[in-house]
Amino acid sequence: MIRYDVADAVATITLDRPEAMNSLTVEAKQALHDALRKAAHDRAVRAVLLTGSGRAFCAGQDLREHADNLESGRGLANTVRLHYNPIIELISTMPKPVVAAVNGVAAGAGASLAFACDLRVASERAKFALAFAGIGLAPDSGASWTLQRLVGHGRAAELMLLGEAIDAARALELGLVNRVVPADDVMKAATDLAARLAQGPTLAYAATKRALAYAATHALADSLALEADLQDQCAATQDHRNATRAFLAKEQPTFSGE
């Protein structure tokens, strides 16, 4: 259900249930969490690429499994707390940049997965739908946190309450994605971006992710204090020392991620 490949310091994690539009069963969610955790802790991995196989990125929860749970009286089977929340926290707090290659439909929790990534490259055929209200549910998988930070409160409310699908061009206009490319080019464009990040200052990227997340919910004074702490940490890295020497020598820096 999940493919995991590493090349050039990039871990590519592929949701691989194309016959079900890469919808997420318990088994798939557990495998995705394991793959993300593996990438987060592998020192040889310096960037992560998340994508889907076939015509969809991820259609969200597997509704057949969900319907069975409802019929048996298990409700949501606590899957939001047990599976979705840990996956989103891993993506968001991983000390490495995560790029989403949105190759097709991203709906419900599948859209939330893409929004939790640091950067999103979308196929011109991609579509996004916050489809929770359409089946009588509130948003989950961090969408209430990530979406309004990407597009603002008013747009987030519109996308969630109406649940209307938007195409890639509209997603780019709203700021939901960073780039839109032809369908045949989406994996190359996303892989090139992830590879570029994998050659960068990994520890500085980790500090940047932490600073952005912290500043979103804290006052300026607190954010300034954290920035100062993070700069102290980054200033002690080999990457910073080497890059400073390279700058003075008018050379391109080479980063080792240390």
Side-chain angles (χ1 to χ4, degrees), residues 184-239:
D184 292 342
D185 298 336
V186 65
M187 277 306 296
K188 182 182 186 307
T191 300
D192 287 348
L193 180 57
R196 173 182 171 183
L197 292 167
Q199 298 304 310
T202 310
L203 298 177
Y205 290 155
T208 300
K209 290 183 65 168
R210 185 178 169 193
L212 283 169
Y214 186 88
T217 56
H218 288 77
L220 174 61
D222 294 331
S223 300
L224 288 170
L226 179 64
E227 284 184 350
D229 290 340
L230 293 172
Q231 284 292 53
D232 286 342
Q233 295 170 25
C234 289
T237 65
Q238 189 65 45
D239 274 346

Side-chain angles (χ1 to χ4, degrees), residues 47-132:
V48 177
L49 176 61
L50 180 63
T51 192
S53 62
R55 62 191 180 93
F57 176 75
C58 176
Q61 173 63 36
D62 185 303
L63 290 183
R64 294 182 186 276
E65 182 182 80
H66 177 60
D68 290 342
N69 287 334
L70 291 179
E71 290 299 320
S72 64
R74 299 182 68 223
L76 294 175
N78 209 28
T79 193
V80 174
R81 295 182 181 87
L82 291 177
H83 305 117
Y84 286 117
N85 288 356
I87 287 170
I88 298 303
E89 287 184 12
L90 255 178
I91 294 172
S92 301
T93 63
M94 185 183 302
K96 302 167 185 180
V98 183
V99 176
V102 186
N103 53 301
V105 173
S112 300
L113 282 178
F115 299 154
C117 295
D118 300 301
L119 297 172
R120 285 155 295 282
V121 178
S123 159
E124 61 188 1
R125 297 177 186 169
K127 291 186 182 297
F128 296 86
L130 277 298
F132 300 101

Side-chain angles (χ1 to χ4, degrees), residues 115 130 143-161 171 173-176:
F115 299 154
L130 277 298
S144 63
W145 196 94
T146 56
L147 187 58
Q148 64 179 312
R149 284 165 173 77
L150 290 170
V151 301
H153 178 91
R155 292 295 190 192
E158 178 184 358
L159 292 169
M160 289 180 175
L161 293 175
E173 179 183 347
L174 291 175
L176 280 177

Side-chain angles (χ1 to χ4, degrees), residues 26-38:
V26 167
E27 184 180 357
K29 284 175 276 192
Q30 290 172 336
L32 176 57
H33 183 270
D34 289 347
L36 288 166
R37 185 170 55 186
K38 182 177 180 180

